[in-house]
């Protein structure tokens, strides 16, 4: 059992949890994820490790409620437990492999969108602790969904926040800010890390390809085991078939076909829609009648 | 000579709609009757055919005299998972294929007798008497499939302090996530086997991935394990690499079976979704393909097996093919997919296949399938399951410095001792030889236990 020792609501349907997971906290690195399962009957849900304290044996995750399972997770309270937490999964960020002088030669821009802001945090923190400064663009649909800005502001980085509806920070999507930094401020980035909804990563990659900035993205494919055993997470990277869980989750964004990725993510739409309705309406709604579209 | 005692099975029409076990097995009367057919050969050929050389005539002799405790004791000398092997072993190509009675008539139903013996022992709480002299030496085992469980059993009996680490949230490996409930019941058969291993003092830690959560090096140098046995299986699914294979509705058999068996996706009270097709094409002809097809059928789909050779070459067990046909699975043989066709939302709508014919024999003597030019045609369907085989998962070797693998991804080892390229680290089961069988994995676990014991005694 893995106990939740802190819960805080960060924004609209966005919740942060500190979870006791000693072994994972001692072995994880920025860029990796874990899988949680609430109880006997729960689904295995992949979540990025947003922060970790190896001494206290704690990992931090941020969960956005988008379906039945994430809704259940976000209703857990401090003191509740996940039955299963396994990790760290996936490969650490490529940046971890580089030595200090290699890192210093990089001029990096991080772009986090929505809940994707959370996985960006440990990477920026890692660099910040090494005294390496970078630029960070944080984007969200609106003010209520922009998370962790105060955490980033404590690090050694320039933070540019933006919202689609201009309710906070700069107006418009993250690509507007990137464009401003590159074209108006004339900043010459030689590395970009973009994590967020597939549609955001797609447009960032189109732009950075044009600017000739190598771009790493983190793929949140649908997963089951997370250990390379099922192939649910497969995607094409260039001409090669890769499994996001063991070959990724980070890949060269310029080699990803995001349109295919987005279609795969919609794979279980019908089944999941039913599960959510069942959770909301209890056992009275079984779906499938066609009248309500459930 | 009397004929084989027929085993009772669930009616095909009924079982095609449920997940209950297909075969009921022998009852006491039937088992004893079948046992009386055995000739107790001086030079028993059946034993030669058994990969772990169970003393078959002896356990059958005990059955005949209703000495069930002695019968199970005899089996336990060579096998630690008889209730499982009695259900899933390909006996028709192993022990039963060698039985002398098979020359003129029907061989002894050795598998069903093994199953009866193990089930009887479990249901009547006949447990092994073991006298364990514990020592303080710690051994770690990676993976809780048949190889890991059998090695743990033998090492615990030798007195070692054994911990099994399992990546998933459940124990059992393929026995739990792969082989379906209707062939191998989990609560009734697999779980009690795991409990027996625990009763010997073996600790099992789920949710620990060796090479990720903790490295082999740390196990040995920080956690005090003096030897490690790798039994991580061969779980990495292969794909055909044909156009359209990433369309929605195309799954590996592992994904489909895991969603059904491990995650119980077909049950309303479990959260994991599973897609249920109306018409499902399963590509492949092995046990895995049969299991996937029969699972899809039970979820309500019209199910076809598409296989590139002829029916005679189907690598699945004869019993599985027979059961699949009885249940209504349609076999489209000598036929191979070349493309998967999807609609505008990327959902599968058909498989483009080409007819095959058998040509010259290949290196293994199997006739090679060759394409019949111009025979391409589409088979409509809304779901495709790829059951093309699996290879060892690269995750552990990739994260373990100095652990050598061969070109097929199998971990290199000494055949006698099972030792790998790292001192104190041993390997067995599918991780060592590629996807094989439960009995070979179980036997490899036992062999490794001897190898590890010799290594630690001489260290
Ligand atoms: C490596 C990795 C890291 C992740 N990190 C985080 C994280 O830190 N925080 C977080 O909140 N989420 C993260 N996710 C996504 C998270 O796992 C999914 O949101 C979750 O599985 C959805 O489950 P659900 O049952 O609540 O929603 P569902 O009911 O399964 O899904 C609702 C809708 O979203 C679609 N969907 C399903 N899975 C995904 C997915 N992986 N990505 C996008 N859409 C999906 C479905 O098709 C459906 O239309 C990560 C995913 C991966 C693979
Ligand atoms: C669908 C299907 C049907 C089959 N039917 C039959 C049959 O009828 N008869 C037959 O004889 N054989 C059958 N087989 C083959 C048989 O199941 C396997 O050969 C056998 O299970 C191999 O045993 P193993 O112990 O080597 O590995 P596995 O059973 O694969 O177990 C390996 C375990 O190790 C775990 N693991 C992997 N990596 C790590 C790690 N790094 N850290 C911790 N744990 C890890 C895995 O999660 C898994 O639980 C079938 C296989 C499948 C997939
Ligand atoms: S070969 Fe057949 S008849 Fe002879 S001992 Fe074995 S099972 Fe009995
Ligand atoms: S999640 Fe199963 S292989 Fe990646």
């Amino acid at each position: 059992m893995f106990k939740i020792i802190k819960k805080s609501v960060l924004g609209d349907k966005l919740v942060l949890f500190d979870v006791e997971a000693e072994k994972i906290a001692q072995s994880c690195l920025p860029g990796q994820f874990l899988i949680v399962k609430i109880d006997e009957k729960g689904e295995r849900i992949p979540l990025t490790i947003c922060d970790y304290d190896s001494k206290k044996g704690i990992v931090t995750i941020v969960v956005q409620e988008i379906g039945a399972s994430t809704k259940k997770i976000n209703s857990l309270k401090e003191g509740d437990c996940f039955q299963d937490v396994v990790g760290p999964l996936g490969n650490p960020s490529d940046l971890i492999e580089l030595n200090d002088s290699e890192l210093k030669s990089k001029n990096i821009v991080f772009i986090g969108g929505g809940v994707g802001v959370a996985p960006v945090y440990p990477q920026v923190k890692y660099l910040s602790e090494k005294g390496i400064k970078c630029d960070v663009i944080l984007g969200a649909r609106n003010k209520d969904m922009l998370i962790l800005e105060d955490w980033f502001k404590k690090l050694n980085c320039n933070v540019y926040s933006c919202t689609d509806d201009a309710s906070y920070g700069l107006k418009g999507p993250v690509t507007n800010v990137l464009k401003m930094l590159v074209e108006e401020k004339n900043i010459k980035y030689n590395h970009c890390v973009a994590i967020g909804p597939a549609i955001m990563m797609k447009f960032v990659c189109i732009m950075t390809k044009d600017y000739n900035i190598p771009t790493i993205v983190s793929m949140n494919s649908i997963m089951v085991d997370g250990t390379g055993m099922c192939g649910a997470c497969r995607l094409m990277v260039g001409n090669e078939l890769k499994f996001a869980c063991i070959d990724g989750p980070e890949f060269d964004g310029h080699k990803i076909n995001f349109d295919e990725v987005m279609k795969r993510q919609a794979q279980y739409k019908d089944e999941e829609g039913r599960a959510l309705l069942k959770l909301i309406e209890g056992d009275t709604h079984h779906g499938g009648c066609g009248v309500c579209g459930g | 000579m009397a004929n084989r005692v027929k085993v009772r099975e669930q009616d095909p029409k009924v079982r095609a709609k449920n997940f209950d076990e297909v075969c009921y097995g022998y009852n006491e009367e039937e088992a004893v009757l079948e046992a009386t057919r055995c000739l107790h050969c001086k030079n028993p050929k059946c034993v030669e055919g058994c990969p772990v050389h169970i003393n078959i005539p002896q356990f059958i002799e005990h059955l005949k005299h209703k000495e069930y405790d002695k019968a199970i004791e005899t089996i336990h000398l060579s096998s630690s998972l008889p209730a499982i092997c009695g259900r899933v072993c390909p006996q028709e190509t192993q022990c039963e294929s060698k039985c002398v009675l098979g020359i003129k008539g029907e061989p002894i139903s050795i598998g069903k007798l093994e199953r009866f013996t193990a089930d009887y022992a479990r249901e009547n709480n006949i447990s092994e008497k073991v006298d364990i002299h514990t020592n303080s030496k710690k051994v770690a085992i990676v993976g809780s499939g048949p190889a890991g469980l059998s090695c743990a059993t033998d090492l615990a009996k030798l007195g070692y302090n054994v911990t099994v680490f399992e990546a998933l949230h459940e124990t059992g490996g393929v026995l739990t996530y792969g082989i379906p409930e209707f062939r191998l019941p989990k609560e009734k058969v697999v779980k009690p086997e795991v409990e027996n291993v625990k009763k010997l003092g073996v600790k099992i830690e789920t949710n620990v991935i060796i090479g990720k959560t903790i490295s082999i090096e740390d196990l040995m140098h920080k956690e005090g394990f003096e030897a490690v046995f790798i039994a991580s299986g061969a779980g990495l699914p292969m794909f055909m690499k044909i156009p359209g294979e990433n369309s929605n509705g195309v799954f590996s058999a592992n994904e489909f079976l895991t969603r059904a068996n491990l995650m119980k996706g077909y049950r309303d009270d479990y959260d994991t979704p599973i897609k249920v097709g109306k018409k499902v094409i399963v590509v492949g002809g092995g046990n895995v393909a049969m299991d996937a097809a029969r699972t899809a059928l039970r979820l309500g789909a019209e199910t076809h097996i598409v296989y590139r050779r002829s029916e005679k070459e189907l690598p699945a067990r004869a019993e599985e093919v027979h059961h699949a046909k009885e249940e209504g699975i349609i076999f489209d043989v000598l036929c191979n997919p070349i493309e998967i066709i999807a609609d505008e939302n990327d959902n599968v709508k058909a498989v483009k296949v080409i007819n095959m014919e058998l040509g010259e024999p290949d290196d293994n003597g199997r006739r090679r399938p060759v394409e019949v030019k111009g025979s391409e045609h589409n088979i409509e369907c809304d779901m495709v399951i790829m059951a093309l085989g699996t290879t060892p998962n690269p995750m552990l070797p990739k994260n373990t410095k100095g652990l050598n693998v061969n070109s097929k991804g199998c971990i290199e080892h000494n055949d006698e001792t099972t030792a790998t390229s790292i001192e104190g680290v041993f390997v067995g089961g599918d991780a060592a030889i590629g996807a094989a069988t439960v009995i070979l994995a179980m036997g490899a676990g036992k062999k490794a236990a001897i190898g590890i014991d010799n290594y630690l005694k001489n260290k």
Side-chain angles (χ1 to χ4, degrees):
Chain A
M1 293 300 233
F2 300 79
K3 195 160 151 195
I4 294 168
I5 52 173
K6 194 179 128 200
K7 169 179 182 178
S8 37
V9 177
L10 298 181
D12 185 20
K13 299 197 165 160
L14 286 153
V15 180
L16 175 146
F17 295 99
D18 281 347
V19 185
E20 262 176 10
E22 197 185 347
K23 283 201 179 107
I24 300 174
Q26 284 165 358
S27 52
C28 66
L29 288 166
Q32 292 186 294
F33 63 98
L34 43 72
I35 285 184
V36 305
K37 185 166 164 287
I38 294 194
D39 54 24
E40 161 91 28
K41 294 176 179 172
E43 195 177 355
R44 292 172 65 97
I45 299 292
L47 298 162
T48 311
I49 301 168
C50 165
D51 198 6
Y52 51 93
D53 184 330
S54 48
K55 285 204 196 75
K56 289 192 191 139
I58 288 166
V59 292
T60 304
I61 50 178
V62 176
V63 185
Q64 177 171 37
E65 180 188 318
I66 64 160
S69 293
T70 42
K71 188 179 176 68
K72 261 193 195 171
I73 293 176
N74 283 0
S75 67
L76 293 174
K77 297 182 288 292
E78 282 176 13
D80 287 349
C81 290
F82 290 103
Q83 180 172 303
D84 302 285
V85 179
V86 63
L89 294 156
N91 299 303
S93 158
D94 283 342
L95 294 171
I96 311 300
E97 309 266 303
L98 303 181
N99 63 34
D100 287 7
S101 67
E102 284 170 323
L103 282 177
K104 289 213 170 86
S105 73
K106 295 236 178 239
N107 192 3
I108 310 175
V109 57
F110 285 92
I111 303 175
V115 73
V117 164
V120 164
Y121 177 76
Q123 303 198 25
V124 176
K125 183 178 171 189
Y126 174 86
L127 294 179
S128 180
E129 280 170 357
K130 288 185 170 291
I132 293 159
K133 194 164 177 165
C134 57
D135 288 353
V136 181
I137 305 172
L138 304 179
R141 220 175 296 155
N142 55 48
K143 182 170 182 237
D144 243 9
M145 297 180 86
L146 189 80
I147 57 169
L148 300 179
E149 189 195 41
D150 48 331
W151 288 28
F152 282 94
K153 288 205 161 142
K154 289 187 195 127
L155 302 177
N156 181 20
C157 61
N158 304 311
V159 181
Y160 304 88
S161 298
C162 60
T163 50
D164 293 354
D165 68 351
S167 52
Y168 183 81
L170 302 160
K171 178 177 162 45
V174 290
T175 39
N176 276 9
V177 183
L178 180 63
K179 189 170 178 189
M180 180 269 289
L181 293 174
V182 173
E183 294 186 9
E184 288 169 29
K185 290 202 169 186
N186 254 318
I187 305 178
K188 301 255 177 295
Y189 298 113
N190 57 15
H191 192 87
C192 170
V193 177
I195 309 181
I199 188 82
M200 177 206 97
M201 295 194 282
K202 172 180 168 175
F203 285 108
V204 167
C205 285
I206 292 174
M207 188 175 264
T208 56
K209 188 144 195 196
D210 222 30
Y211 294 149
N212 226 338
I213 308 171
T215 302
I216 298 294
V217 294
S218 182
M219 300 311 295
N220 53 359
S221 323
I222 291 177
M223 294 189 175
V224 184
D225 59 303
T227 68
M229 186 263 278
C230 75
C233 64
R234 69 188 187 275
L235 75 164
M236 295 306 287
V237 179
N239 293 323
E240 280 180 89
L241 182 69
K242 297 279 184 192
F243 286 9
C245 67
I246 52 170
D247 300 319
E250 295 191 350
F251 294 103
D252 176 349
H254 295 153
K255 288 191 179 162
I256 304 255
N257 177 346
F258 285 99
D259 295 329
E260 181 186 293
V261 165
M262 283 185 270
K263 284 181 185 157
R264 274 189 76 75
Q265 276 176 348
Q267 174 124 240
Y268 285 99
K269 260 209 159 99
D270 296 353
E271 283 82 0
E272 293 288 12
R274 265 198 283 278
L276 185 60
L277 273 175
K278 203 174 126 202
L279 188 74
I280 298 169
E281 306 188 359
D283 263 347
T284 53
H285 188 283
H286 293 286
C289 64
V291 177
C292 62
Chain B
M1 195 69 217
N3 280 336
R4 205 177 231 212
V5 177
K6 273 224 159 44
V7 71
R8 288 163 294 115
E9 286 171 351
Q10 229 197 116
D11 184 308
K13 284 203 198 69
V14 178
R15 72 179 193 241
K17 296 193 176 67
N18 69 43
F19 281 84
D20 299 338
E21 197 171 10
V22 168
C23 173
Y24 293 125
Y26 285 150
N27 61 26
E28 190 173 350
E29 191 186 340
E30 291 161 339
V32 174
L33 188 63
E34 177 68 9
T36 55
R37 290 176 65 227
C38 178
L39 305 175
H40 306 289
C41 309
K42 279 248 156 47
N43 176 13
K45 294 285 177 216
C46 56
V47 178
E48 282 171 29
C50 172
V52 299
H53 308 299
I54 294 176
N55 190 335
I56 293 166
Q58 189 180 330
F59 101 75
I60 295 183
E61 172 85 24
H62 289 311
L63 273 188
K64 197 163 86 185
H65 298 115
K66 301 193 178 185
E67 299 160 345
Y68 304 118
D69 48 344
K70 287 188 186 151
I72 191 73
E73 209 175 292
T74 306
I75 296 177
H76 270 149
L77 291 177
S78 318
S79 169
S80 40
L81 304 168
I84 292 166
C85 293
R87 285 174 165 82
V88 304
C89 263
Q91 291 100 5
E92 69 276 7
T93 59
Q94 300 180 0
C95 53
E96 293 178 14
S97 75
K98 298 279 164 73
C99 172
V100 295
L101 288 177
I103 300 171
K104 282 200 182 134
E106 287 180 298
I108 298 281
S109 196
I110 302 171
K112 300 287 180 293
L113 291 179
E114 180 187 23
R115 167 181 164 163
F116 168 78
T117 311
D119 285 357
Y120 185 95
R122 183 185 61 247
E123 281 154 19
N124 293 283
N125 295 316
I126 304 176
S127 52
E128 259 179 292
K129 289 174 223 63
V130 280
D131 187 12
I132 300 178
H133 300 278
T134 52
N135 63 46
S136 58
K137 290 187 176 158
K138 283 170 71 177
V139 181
I141 293 183
V142 184
S144 65
L149 291 176
S150 67
C151 186
T153 301
D154 284 14
L155 286 172
K157 286 183 188 165
L158 290 167
Y160 292 98
N161 179 345
V162 183
T163 308
V164 178
F165 297 99
E166 169 55 52
L168 294 173
H169 59 271
E170 286 272 5
T171 51
V174 172
L175 307 177
T176 299
Y177 78 71
I179 304 180
E181 181 74 18
F182 55 83
R183 277 216 292 140
L184 185 63
K186 312 301 162 210
E187 290 297 325
K188 195 177 123 197
V189 179
V190 181
K191 287 217 172 125
E193 294 285 3
V194 175
E195 285 311 310
N196 284 342
V197 179
K198 284 193 197 158
K199 274 187 209 144
L200 296 168
V202 172
K203 291 181 277 297
I204 302 187
E205 284 192 36
T206 50
N207 296 319
V208 179
I209 305 176
I210 305 303
K212 289 278 179 195
T213 317
I214 184 164
S215 64
I216 288 192
E217 197 179 330
D218 281 354
L219 282 177
M220 299 185 82
H221 300 298
K222 290 195 188 144
E223 306 277 325
F225 289 96
E226 295 187 48
V228 176
F229 176 56
I230 301 175
S232 51
L236 189 75
M238 294 198 266
F239 288 91
M240 294 190 83
K241 310 211 163 134
I242 55 174
E245 208 174 9
N246 288 353
S247 309
N248 291 344
V250 183
F251 305 90
S252 76
N254 266 9
E255 175 179 356
F256 181 66
L257 289 169
T258 301
R259 285 182 184 273
N261 298 328
L262 180 71
M263 308 310 297
K264 306 215 167 41
Y266 60 87
R267 280 177 51 174
D268 256 1
D269 51 339
Y270 282 74
D271 297 342
T272 303
I274 187 166
K275 188 176 162 70
V276 183
K278 287 191 187 69
K279 182 167 167 193
V280 177
I281 304 284
V282 179
V283 183
N287 284 326
V288 183
M290 298 305 138
D291 283 345
R294 295 172 71 197
T295 301
L297 179 99
R298 280 162 171 73
L299 295 176
E302 173 188 327
T303 309
H304 293 243
I305 294 254
V306 166
Y307 177 59
R308 63 195 180 126
R309 295 178 204 254
S310 77
E311 204 173 313
K312 220 173 71 211
E313 282 84 19
L314 282 170
R317 293 185 52 200
E319 183 175 283
E320 304 315 324
V321 176
H322 170 71
H323 280 155
K325 280 193 177 160
E326 276 186 344
E327 288 163 11
I329 306 246
I330 301 153
F331 284 72
D332 299 331
V333 295
L334 286 168
C335 180
N336 203 32
I338 49 175
E339 185 182 342
I340 289 168
I341 301 165
D343 66 12
E344 64 284 359
N345 295 321
D346 235 6
N347 295 321
V348 176
K349 63 173 190 191
V351 178
K352 186 187 223 172
V353 297
I354 187 162
N355 291 345
M356 310 292 277
E357 59 192 5
L358 293 180
E360 295 299 309
D362 62 14
D363 297 345
N364 299 323
R366 286 210 303 180
R367 289 178 65 192
R368 200 192 301 271
V370 282
E371 294 184 350
V372 179
K373 282 224 170 61
S375 66
E376 294 89 343
H377 58 283
N378 290 351
I379 310 179
E380 274 177 39
C381 64
D382 59 351
M383 188 167 150
V384 179
I385 301 175
M386 293 292 176
L388 309 159
T390 52
T391 55
N393 192 320
M395 198 169 54
L396 182 62
K398 208 174 107 187
N399 291 295
T400 308
K401 254 192 237 117
L403 188 66
N404 296 341
V405 295
N406 69 17
S407 60
K408 290 184 177 144
C410 301
I411 297 173
E412 284 181 4
H413 60 282
N414 176 316
D415 270 343
E416 282 311 304
T417 61
T418 78
T420 66
S421 53
I422 302 178
E423 191 187 326
V425 179
F426 299 75
V427 68
D430 285 3
I433 60 169
T437 57
V438 173
I439 189 80
L440 286 175
M442 199 273 301
K446 294 183 84 72
K447 192 166 170 185
I450 299 171
I452 291 169
D453 186 41
N454 286 334
Y455 166 75
L456 290 177
K457 276 200 298 221
N458 299 320
K459 200 175 137 181

